[in-house]
Amino acid sequence: MLSIRDLSVTYPSRNRTPVHALEKINLDILPGEIVVALGASGCGKSTLLSSIAGFLAVESGSITLNDQPLRKPGSDRGVVFQKDTLLPWKSVLDNVSLGIELAGIARNEAHVKALELLDLVGLKEFASSAPYELSGGMRQRVGIARALATDPALLLMDEPFGALDSFTREQMQDLLIDVWGKTRKTIFLITHSIEEALSLGTRIIVMSPRPGRIIKRYATNFIRTYLETRDWGAIRTSREFILLSQEIRELIHASFDDKSVTTPTEEQAHATL
């Protein structure tokens, strides 16, 4: 379990007032959940993910994973970025196996594991290809396989499909759902898209404008329904999906008025689940 308690983050600045990015974030992510952070630009979503990843030092509050404090990046967390960070001089197979080899696993054994992961994301036949030979969506698939290579306890996804066209984005959402359905990997994902959050999350947290606070939490079940029915048309046109989408959109817009939204206590926040 990931546990965040009273996390606050302020960025220093030489030329202006320090930027207060996050304010007293409290969040638990349970094994097998997909928790999606949603909010307008500047609400601190990326700062929160970077803090969990260990890219930012925790100066106020605490973050623990399975009761161990997180102070730096580690193999217990895999990260998928908005733009792929594949090494262009290495093959797809070598990109995926790199983390496994760095963990001390023999190259041949690492390649066997990497091929299994490429098969999971539907790219086994492209193992010998160079990253530049792949489309954007295919490169993101490789990025997901690489992030899963060390079997992390938590997969962190920073707007992973934001740079893709709408059709490819939908394909990648389906891929992620299928990967989650097979692995039940614990995932924390950030997005600007309300539809994407509702489609992918088992739980959604809505964040306020800076300083980012969690102002609402929703438990959702659309992803499980899709795994059963494979019918996004019926799900996304359902009354429940449309009304919840509208409610979240109005909440995000209202959050720009400080007087209209207050930060709930932890007990009040959990009461919405």
Side-chain angles (χ1 to χ4, degrees), residues 158-198:
D158 185 359
E159 286 276 0
F161 313 135
L164 304 175
D165 64 83
S166 59
F167 180 72
T168 305
R169 184 168 187 157
E170 290 179 358
Q171 288 183 315
M172 291 301 298
Q173 290 169 357
D174 284 356
L175 172 72
L176 180 61
I177 291 170
D178 287 337
V179 169
W180 178 77
K182 294 173 182 176
T183 66
R184 283 303 193 267
K185 186 63 66 177
T186 308
I187 299 173
F188 178 72
L189 181 147
I190 65 175
T191 182
H192 289 98
S193 169
I194 295 173
E195 182 178 274
E196 184 166 84
L198 290 174

Side-chain angles (χ1 to χ4, degrees), residues 4-7 24-28 214 217 266 270:
I4 302 174
R5 291 291 176 269
D6 295 325
L7 177 67
K24 291 190 177 300
I25 298 295
N26 288 282
L27 177 65
D28 290 331
I214 298 176
R217 307 172 193 236
E266 191 69 9
H270 283 293

Side-chain angles (χ1 to χ4, degrees), residues 36-47 82 157-163 169 173 189-198 200 204-208 245 248-249 252-253 256:
V36 181
L38 185 62
S41 295
C43 72
K45 302 186 300 296
S46 292
T47 297
Q82 182 173 350
M157 309 190 77
D158 185 359
E159 286 276 0
F161 313 135
R169 184 168 187 157
Q173 290 169 357
L189 181 147
I190 65 175
T191 182
H192 289 98
S193 169
I194 295 173
E195 182 178 274
E196 184 166 84
L198 290 174
L200 297 180
I204 297 170
I205 60 171
V206 181
M207 298 181 66
S208 70
S245 175
I248 292 173
R249 181 171 288 104
I252 292 174
H253 282 293
F256 284 93

Side-chain angles (χ1 to χ4, degrees), residues 11 31-32 59 66 68 72 122 146 161 169 190-191 201-203 211 215 223 256 260 263 266:
Y11 292 108
E59 297 179 354
N66 297 328
Q68 298 300 312
K72 59 182 180 180
R146 184 178 63 177
F161 313 135
R169 184 168 187 157
I190 65 175
T191 182
T202 61
R203 193 149 52 98
I215 55 176
I223 184 173
F256 284 93
S260 65
T263 303
E266 191 69 9

Side-chain angles (χ1 to χ4, degrees), residues 68-197:
Q68 298 300 312
L70 298 183
R71 298 189 176 93
K72 59 182 180 180
S75 60
D76 53 358
R77 284 147 290 153
V79 184
V80 180
F81 299 96
Q82 182 173 350
K83 294 183 178 180
D84 72 84
T85 55
L86 302 179
L87 302 177
W89 60 88
K90 286 185 174 289
S91 68
V92 165
L93 180 63
D94 286 336
N95 266 282
V96 176
S97 66
L98 179 60
I100 309 174
E101 293 180 58
L102 291 175
I105 305 301
R107 182 177 177 83
N108 288 344
E109 187 177 345
H111 277 183
V112 170
K113 176 64 175 177
L115 282 171
E116 291 175 357
L117 291 168
L118 287 172
D119 190 36
L120 179 67
V121 299
L123 289 178
K124 188 175 182 178
E125 63 186 288
F126 293 93
S128 61
S129 300
Y132 60 79
E133 297 178 301
L134 306 182
S135 67
M138 294 168 74
R139 289 196 298 272
Q140 281 300 73
R141 291 190 190 196
V142 178
I144 292 173
R146 184 178 63 177
L148 292 171
T150 57
D151 193 23
L154 179 65
L155 184 63
L156 303 170
M157 309 190 77
D158 185 359
E159 286 276 0
F161 313 135
L164 304 175
D165 64 83
S166 59
F167 180 72
T168 305
R169 184 168 187 157
E170 290 179 358
Q171 288 183 315
M172 291 301 298
Q173 290 169 357
D174 284 356
L175 172 72
L176 180 61
I177 291 170
D178 287 337
V179 169
W180 178 77
K182 294 173 182 176
T183 66
R184 283 303 193 267
K185 186 63 66 177
T186 308
I187 299 173
F188 178 72
L189 181 147
I190 65 175
T191 182
H192 289 98
S193 169
I194 295 173
E195 182 178 274
E196 184 166 84

